[in-house]
């Protein structure tokens, strides 16, 4: 099996990188965290024009997907540029609705998917656990900003009427709130549970790709800092301890990359879980390395580095923390 991207896929990733590099995403992230979603929504529209959201939407509903490999590439770039908003949840919603349509429930897809593909509106998604779990209704990301808040409860898909208070997050740009109960029942039956499984797997894969992108951005910034920061008249990047730490970070990210794209090719649950563990841990390790090498300046909010530092840990735990993903890998091997 080949994991090498095609020339077309490479060109797509480069075009996203160029577009996002010219978009001042740090300013959009700060505005999003501060309660001003305008710049983030404008960025959302540019991503729609680039075709990012259409990658998760079937052709019958104005999309071009689902295309997991291209989505993984896109989400690496979204992570590298710290794009704010419920990006993972929107594509997971698209996969959920598309799979429901394939299973004979096209109503919600007809209503919602064209708007998702065009970037006209955003969605967030919460998939509730079983009643035996401590918190059967989880938080939804950016429920206060999303145009539609969807909740899967067992074999029912609801459009929530609103959300509870926004809670403090380790990443100020990740705004968490519990969806309110009730609302509009969009679909019910075994097809909902099956489609939710597909959506959860895609969300895990996209989050892994995002973590990989965050880790790469942190490493790039830390290498640049190590080259220009001097001690005793020598760049700190010349010190063996710093070299070894950066090399270990690079190796972890290089190891995670093929796992992410391999999982995008197979979409197998065990592969996706393995990719999430590797990318999540590598991204978090890159954050720790960045903070150690930057020293006290790394703690300052004024430095753009903080926007990526604060994402690494939440992304590591979102849509499957390391323990849950390791258990899924073991389950797939048994």
């Amino acid at each position: 099996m080949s994991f090498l991207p095609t020339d077309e896929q490479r060109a797509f990733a480069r075009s996203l990188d160029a577009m996002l590099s010219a978009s001042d995403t740090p300013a959009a992230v700060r505005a999003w965290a501060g309660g001003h979603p305008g710049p983030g929504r404008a960025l959302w529209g540019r991503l729609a024009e680039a075709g990012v959201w259409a990658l998760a939407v079937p052709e019958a509903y104005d999309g071009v997907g689902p295309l997991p490999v291209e989505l993984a590439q896109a989400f690496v770039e979204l992570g590298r540029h710290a794009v704010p908003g419920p990006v993972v949840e929107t594509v997971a919603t698209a996969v959920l609705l598309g799979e429901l349509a394939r299973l004979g429930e096209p109503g919600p897809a007809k209503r919602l998917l064209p708007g998702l593909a065009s970037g006209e509106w955003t969605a967030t998604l919460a998939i509730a656990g079983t009643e035996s779990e401590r918190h059967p209704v989880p938080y939804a990301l950016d429920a206060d900003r999303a145009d539609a808040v969807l909740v899967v409860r067992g074999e029912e898909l609801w459009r929530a009427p609103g959300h509870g208070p926004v809670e403090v997050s380790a990443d100020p740009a990740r705004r968490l709130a519990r969806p309110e109960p009730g609302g509009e029942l969009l679909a019910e039956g075994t097809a909902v549970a099956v489609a939710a499984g597909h959506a959860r797997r895609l969300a895990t894969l996209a989050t892994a790709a995002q973590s990989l992108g965050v880790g790469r951005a942190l490493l790039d910034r830390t290498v640049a800092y190590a080259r220009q920061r001097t001690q005793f008249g020598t760049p700190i990047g010349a010190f063996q301890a710093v070299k070894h730490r950066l090399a270990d970070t690079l190796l972890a990210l290089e190891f995670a990359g093929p796992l992410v794209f391999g999982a995008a090719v197979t979409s197998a649950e065990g592969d996706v879980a393995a990719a999430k563990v590797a990318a999540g841990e590598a991204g978090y390790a890159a954050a720790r390395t960045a903070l150690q090498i930057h020293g006290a300046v790394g703690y300052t909010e004024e430095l753009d580095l903080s926007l990526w530092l604060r994402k690494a840990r939440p992304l590591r735990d979102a849509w499957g923390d390391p323990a849950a993903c390791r258990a899924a890998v073991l389950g797939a091997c048994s």
Side-chain angles (χ1 to χ4, degrees):
M1 181 181 294
S2 174
F3 301 116
L4 294 176
T6 65
D7 291 341
E8 190 176 72
Q9 289 168 340
R10 290 192 183 96
F12 173 61
R14 287 195 299 270
S15 68
L16 277 183
D17 179 37
M19 184 270 285
L20 292 169
S21 295
S23 297
D24 193 11
T25 54
V29 176
R30 288 192 165 92
W32 191 274
H36 306 288
R41 292 301 296 258
L43 183 59
W44 195 279
R46 289 194 286 274
L47 289 168
E49 292 172 1
V52 171
W53 316 124
L55 294 172
V57 177
E59 292 183 18
Y61 304 99
D62 300 340
V64 297
L67 297 174
V69 174
E70 285 77 4
L71 277 167
Q73 286 186 306
F75 273 81
V76 170
E77 297 306 320
L78 297 187
R80 282 187 63 217
H81 292 276
V83 172
V87 292
V88 168
E89 290 70 20
T90 291
V91 296
T93 298
V95 167
L96 170 67
L97 298 179
E99 185 64 16
L100 267 179
R102 190 186 70 82
L103 295 171
E105 292 281 353
K110 290 178 179 178
R111 287 177 54 189
L112 304 176
L113 281 183
L116 274 182
S118 68
E120 180 181 349
W121 58 276
T122 64
T124 192
L125 174 68
I127 300 177
T130 64
E131 292 301 322
S132 61
E133 293 178 346
R134 184 178 178 185
H135 297 300
V137 179
Y139 287 104
L141 179 65
D142 292 317
D144 61 324
R145 304 284 171 76
D147 300 302
V149 180
L150 302 188
V151 181
V152 175
R153 298 186 181 96
E155 295 186 348
E156 296 178 343
L157 174 63
W158 292 83
R159 184 169 182 174
H163 59 84
V166 175
E167 303 288 345
V168 175
S169 169
D171 176 6
R174 290 178 62 85
R175 302 166 64 86
L176 303 172
R178 293 191 189 277
E180 292 180 349
E184 180 186 1
L185 180 63
L186 298 179
E188 59 182 329
T190 57
V192 171
V194 173
H198 284 267
R200 188 192 293 273
R201 197 152 51 246
L202 188 281
T204 301
L205 174 65
T207 305
Q210 225 181 340
S211 294
L212 180 61
V214 166
R216 288 177 176 176
L218 286 165
L219 179 61
D220 289 345
R221 289 171 177 269
T222 305
V223 168
Y225 181 78
R227 285 173 174 162
Q228 60 93 17
R229 175 75 167 91
T230 60
Q231 283 187 347
F232 312 111
T234 302
I236 63 172
F239 300 151
Q240 286 284 32
V242 174
K243 286 182 178 180
H244 289 169
R245 188 67 185 263
L246 291 172
D248 288 344
T249 302
L250 175 62
L251 282 173
L253 291 167
E254 289 295 296
F255 178 76
L259 290 178
V260 170
F261 291 109
V265 170
T266 68
S267 294
E269 185 171 356
D271 293 345
V272 171
K276 179 62 164 58
V277 170
E281 295 286 24
Y284 183 48
R288 294 172 61 116
T289 295
L291 191 56
Q292 182 180 32
I293 292 177
H294 278 81
V297 71
Y299 285 97
T300 62
E301 291 189 5
E302 291 77 14
L303 192 69
D304 284 349
L305 181 78
S306 66
L307 305 180
W308 283 266
L309 283 175
R310 290 184 168 189
K311 288 188 181 303
R313 178 63 181 269
L315 287 175
R316 188 193 74 165
D317 294 339
W319 292 103
D321 62 26
C325 287
R326 288 189 176 98
V329 173
L330 289 174
C333 294
S334 61

